[in-house]
Amino acid sequence: MNGLYENLIDRREKLSLVGLGYVGIPIAVSFAKKIDVIGFDLNEKKIELYKNGIDPTQEVGDEAIRNTAVEFTSDEAKLKEAKFHIVAVPTPVNADHTPNLVPVESASRIVGRNLSKGSIVVYESTVYPGVTEDICVPILEKESGLVCGKDFKVGYSPERINPGDKVHRLETIVKIVSGMDEETLETVAKVYSLVALAGVHKAESIKVAEAAKVIENSQRDINIAFMNELSIIFHKLGIDTKAVLEAAGTKWNFLKFAPGLVGGHCIGVDPYYLTYKAEEIGYHSQVILSGRRINDSMGQYVTESLIKLMAKSGVPISGAKVAVLGLTFKENCPDTRNSRVVDIIHELREYGIEPVVCDDVADKGGAEREYGLELTEFEKVNNCDAVVLAVAHDEFKTLSKSDFDALYKNETKILLDVKGILDRKTFESAGYKYWRL
């Protein structure tokens, strides 16, 4: 592996990025400013979009795609031209919350089939400690006929990109790097230093790096679960949770988390990777899994709160017209995968309500593919009995009270502001039945 970094800098060797989604595309574009990059994805339609200067993820924008030097391809044979491979594919969970390693195993087979001597393979996918060395390496060896440690090396550098976040970018986040030995670690650290301008942190082993990633999101998940539990308690006490958190937040060491729906591919998924591994070694998680249970039940809780409000207000429930504003798993991001807003939609259907779903930010193709949902344009939403403002998109934050007035058909206006982005007093003083987590 000696000299691989120098060969990349001198463009005598290439880097490949396997998986061009929300995580992969920013990495590929950043590296392509410094070295030769092959961007590979199995999805031919996605590759065509990139080749035509369109960024379906909206992570780097169309202009950056038009101007990038990344060589986009869906032909795995092109990977043979690269010596430094970065695997950035999703690691979801199955319906029973066990890790779904199919994407990372499949990517390992693809890389393995096209692996040459002297290469380094670095995984970015979130996994439990041990996956890189115990699951991915044997696949690479089997497919390539090469021996890990002698013919090629592996490393792990967990992704920390925050989809839709324009502040915490690849360039501004300290990057954890690791390698199977000291020499690999040094090469991986040098290569990532080209794009991780905030610096790299050298983890002492691949397992340490894997564990660090998986606990970052587990910690966040637990903190949000605590806020969600507080919200449930305070509602029963007739206290406004947001007001409580604003008061408590004046203490210097109070952690400023807020209640909400926890979806996406990280916070709602990563804890299950850790608890799965813990079960394997005979430990049953208590804190982590109880946090997951609370967060997974919030869609049902929000819907039940809406139904109670409708019943108290004398609004017939079956066949009621309810608008759900927002579908994506987080604000200002088009990604609809693993969105917990879908839980609200499913629960509403249980009560005989087919909601009108509106999200102009969302990937409409994704909404249809994953959930069979046809999104309605905001301008066409009207005659509603109730509105659920589910996602804090900037475009929703700018809506005025008169914008909301136009959505309803009756004097009784029921509004659930899940993220608490509106001014409560403005709506309550106007006679709205207003509720927030």
Side-chain angles (χ1 to χ4, degrees), residues 393-412:
H393 290 318
D394 286 346
E395 64 180 54
F396 293 148
K397 289 179 181 176
T398 60
L399 295 175
S400 65
K401 188 188 79 63
S402 58
D403 290 326
F404 278 97
D405 289 345
L407 302 177
Y408 295 87
K409 66 180 176 190
N410 299 318
E411 285 299 304
T412 305

Side-chain angles (χ1 to χ4, degrees), residues 69-360:
V70 175
E71 184 182 355
F72 294 110
T73 184
S74 56
D75 175 12
E76 67 171 70
K78 289 292 289 181
L79 297 175
K80 288 186 167 74
E81 296 175 18
K83 273 287 205 297
F84 194 102
H85 303 276
I86 296 175
V87 177
V89 295
T91 38
V93 290
N94 298 309
D96 62 356
H97 297 146
T98 55
N100 177 357
L101 295 174
V102 171
V104 81
E105 289 170 342
S106 170
S108 297
R109 279 192 286 275
I110 290 168
V111 173
R113 286 197 292 268
N114 299 284
L115 197 60
S116 57
K117 281 189 178 183
S119 295
I120 293 178
V121 183
V122 178
Y123 288 85
E124 290 227 0
S125 307
T126 303
V127 291
Y128 56 79
V131 167
T132 301
E133 291 154 301
D134 302 341
I135 291 174
C136 298
V137 165
I139 294 172
L140 292 172
E141 289 185 322
K142 183 184 175 196
E143 295 292 336
S144 66
L146 302 174
V147 177
C148 185
K150 181 165 82 76
D151 300 321
F152 71 93
K153 301 287 184 76
V154 293
Y156 182 79
S157 179
E159 56 88 3
R160 277 176 161 173
I161 287 169
N162 190 19
D165 187 337
K166 302 305 176 194
V167 178
H168 301 100
R169 312 301 298 153
L170 177 64
E171 294 81 5
T172 61
I173 303 170
V174 172
K175 195 88 169 76
I176 295 174
V177 293
S178 65
M180 63 183 294
D181 53 38
E182 205 59 42
E183 181 193 21
T184 310
L185 174 60
E186 287 308 312
T187 303
V188 172
K190 276 188 196 171
V191 171
Y192 273 102
S193 293
L194 292 171
V195 293
L197 304 183
V200 297
H201 172 83
K202 297 175 184 175
E204 65 178 48
S205 70
I206 287 174
K207 283 189 176 71
V208 164
E210 290 169 326
K213 168 58 183 171
V214 89
I215 69 159
E216 288 170 13
N217 286 323
S218 298
Q219 181 189 61
R220 193 162 173 74
D221 192 46
I222 291 163
N223 277 297
I224 297 170
F226 176 48
M227 295 299 138
N228 280 333
E229 190 166 57
L230 290 179
S231 176
I232 294 167
I233 294 168
F234 292 147
H235 270 289
K236 288 184 182 295
L237 293 172
I239 302 170
D240 181 48
T241 308
K242 191 173 183 181
V244 175
L245 295 179
E246 282 171 357
T250 59
K251 191 176 182 216
W252 70 92
N253 61 353
F254 185 81
L255 301 178
K256 295 189 179 181
F257 287 89
L261 303 171
V262 185
H265 334 292
C266 296
I267 302 177
V269 170
D270 296 358
Y272 287 125
Y273 273 74
L274 187 54
T275 56
Y276 172 83
K277 188 62 183 174
E279 291 278 356
E280 259 192 359
I281 54 171
Y283 180 79
H284 180 71
S285 158
Q286 297 176 66
V287 173
I288 301 169
L289 281 181
S290 83
R292 276 283 75 231
R293 278 193 296 275
I294 291 169
N295 287 342
D296 278 347
S297 70
M298 291 311 286
Q300 182 181 359
Y301 173 68
V302 168
T303 308
E304 286 173 356
S305 300
L306 170 63
I307 298 300
K308 285 175 187 173
L309 205 49
M310 290 170 73
K312 279 183 192 169
S313 307
V315 176
I317 291 164
S318 183
K321 187 170 181 184
V322 176
V324 176
L325 305 185
L327 176 66
T328 61
F329 84 89
K330 67 176 288 189
E331 60 274 10
N332 307 320
C333 172
D335 198 350
T336 57
R337 291 174 300 169
N338 198 31
S339 168
R340 299 274 55 96
V341 178
V342 176
D343 298 345
I344 296 175
I345 294 166
H346 289 159
E347 288 292 324
L348 287 171
R349 286 172 178 164
E350 293 285 318
Y351 288 95
I353 298 169
E354 183 55 49
V356 175
V357 184
C358 162
D359 193 330
D360 293 340

